[in-house]
Amino acid sequence: MDIRYAVGKSQYQRMTTDELRNEFMVDLFETGKLNLLYCEVERAIVGAAVPTQSCLALEAGKELAADYFCQRREIGVLNIGGNGTVTVDGTDYSMENLDGLYIGRGAKEVAFQSVDKDSPARFYLISYPAHADYPTKQAKKADANALKLGSVEDANKRTIYQYIHENGIKSCQLVMGFTVLEPGCVWNTMPCHTHERRTEVYLYFGLDDDSRVFHMMGPGDETRHIVMSNEQAVISPMWSIHSGCGTKAYTFCWGMGGENQRFDDMDHIAIKDLK
Ligand SMILES: O=C[C@H](O)[C@@H](O)CC(=O)C(=O)O
Ligand SMILES: [Zn+2]
């Protein structure tokens, strides 16, 4: 697995477009493969598994120096593709589009499969170190805590579906869910915020080939953007806002790890203070 080292605030100030993309953007979805990226930021591992003919097994890799991937880790999974199955220690979880799965520390065997190789499941993974075992549990959109935010006037009307969070599926540090924008709404997380207590990874999906999301990053008084296409993820360091504006509506998966799990622990930044 590739390793992505952290970029400091001062280094960020002088980076070119290419440098920003190489350091913060993550492109892992590949047909028939399971790809992982180890990030120094929060020791997150971001992954994508797109099984076709055969099933794809999750291996620890030498980077973890562990007997199996979840020996000291927990994982959140979101299926953004066709129907599939995640097998955890012999139990099959059948995963439809937008179904989620929390896999707790201690799970020894994790494998991904598609029902139809011509319309494969597309599993997005986000993992953090875990200090305790919480039960593996499936998440369905109907059971998610749905937060309705924004308005049509502000072009940011959207629903936040919380899967793994303080009052939902329990975890050590992982907080995860996804946000769906209404047609014609393009802004997420504007007004924006930081939370030095947690770092976040966004995966943008549900975009056409010719649509893009301008992902906003950086301290509020020193913003930059990264132009993202479908199924690309972006690492948001502790000092960074994470907000986006699309050329049309889109969906994104957000995952966080860190000091606490409090969704409303945010340092809000007023739009008029952005630079
Ligand atoms: O800390 C929380 C995260 O930034 C996201 O959950 C925000 C988000 O999904 C949204 O506003 O649509
Ligand atoms: Zn946030």
Side-chain angles (χ1 to χ4, degrees):
M1 96 183 69
D2 285 338
I3 300 184
R4 201 67 77 83
Y5 295 107
V7 173
K9 232 176 168 174
S10 49
Q11 186 187 349
Y12 156 83
Q13 290 187 336
R14 300 190 169 276
M15 288 170 75
T16 64
T17 299
D18 274 346
E19 288 168 343
L20 288 173
R21 295 175 76 83
N22 292 338
E23 296 293 346
F24 296 104
M25 204 177 81
V26 180
D27 215 342
L28 292 173
F29 281 88
E30 198 180 343
T31 303
K33 295 224 165 123
L34 194 169
N35 293 322
L36 299 170
L37 177 72
Y38 195 111
C39 307
E40 184 179 6
V41 170
E42 223 75 72
R43 289 189 183 273
I45 295 180
V46 185
V50 186
T52 47
Q53 237 100 354
S54 48
C55 109
L56 297 170
L58 183 64
E59 312 282 355
K62 63 174 178 1
E63 294 77 8
L64 301 194
D67 299 332
Y68 47 93
F69 190 94
C70 285
Q71 189 171 17
R72 296 182 298 267
R73 284 188 162 265
E74 58 188 1
I75 314 172
V77 180
L78 183 72
N79 181 14
I80 61 167
N83 293 346
T85 308
V86 183
T87 307
V88 182
D89 290 335
T91 303
D92 287 342
Y93 296 90
S94 105
M95 302 278 291
E96 290 171 19
N97 185 255
L98 295 182
D99 282 354
L101 183 68
Y102 172 74
I103 305 174
R105 187 186 76 165
K108 288 199 173 67
E109 283 172 10
V110 178
F112 303 93
Q113 227 170 333
S114 287
V115 169
D116 175 4
K117 67 173 171 47
D118 297 319
S119 166
R122 305 178 78 75
F123 295 108
Y124 173 66
L125 324 178
I126 175 129
S127 165
Y128 294 96
H131 61 272
D133 305 359
Y134 285 99
T136 293
K137 204 166 185 269
Q138 192 167 28
K140 292 269 179 194
K141 193 175 161 191
D143 306 324
N145 185 42
L147 289 174
K148 293 201 177 288
L149 293 182
S151 67
V152 170
E153 291 76 8
D154 290 324
N156 66 352
K157 194 172 180 198
R158 62 199 193 279
T159 307
I160 298 188
Y161 294 92
Q162 297 176 311
Y163 274 169
I164 303 163
H165 63 115
E166 268 186 326
N167 304 311
I169 297 175
K170 295 272 173 281
S171 69
C172 292
Q173 58 168 321
L174 175 65
V175 183
M176 186 192 190
F178 62 95
T179 297
V180 182
L181 277 95
E182 305 256 320
C185 287
V186 290
W187 277 100
N188 85 72
T189 331
M190 183 58 67
C192 61
H193 61 257
T194 57
H195 29 62
E196 296 224 321
R197 280 71 62 199
R198 297 181 306 284
T199 62
E200 195 149 348
V201 179
Y202 271 16
L203 170 79
Y204 288 106
F205 63 99
L207 282 157
D208 311 336
D209 280 352
D210 53 1
S211 300
R212 297 290 182 270
V213 177
F214 287 64
H215 177 79
M216 312 295 164
M217 66 170 298
D221 59 359
E222 180 107 33
T223 65
R224 306 277 190 277
H225 68 258
I226 296 179
V227 179
M228 312 276 301
S229 52
N230 194 33
E231 297 187 346
Q232 288 180 332
V234 62
I235 300 165
S236 180
M238 62 192 285
W239 42 264
S240 183
I241 63 163
H242 32 278
S243 171
C245 185
T247 54
K248 59 170 73 166
Y250 52 91
T251 305
F252 66 100
C253 177
W254 42 270
M256 291 184 264
E259 197 64 35
N260 66 14
Q261 297 188 308
R262 274 193 47 209
F263 187 79
D264 59 359
D265 171 32
M266 297 170 180
D267 300 313
H268 297 280
I269 302 173
I271 291 175
K272 64 177 173 45
D273 294 332
L274 291 171
K275 286 182 183 165

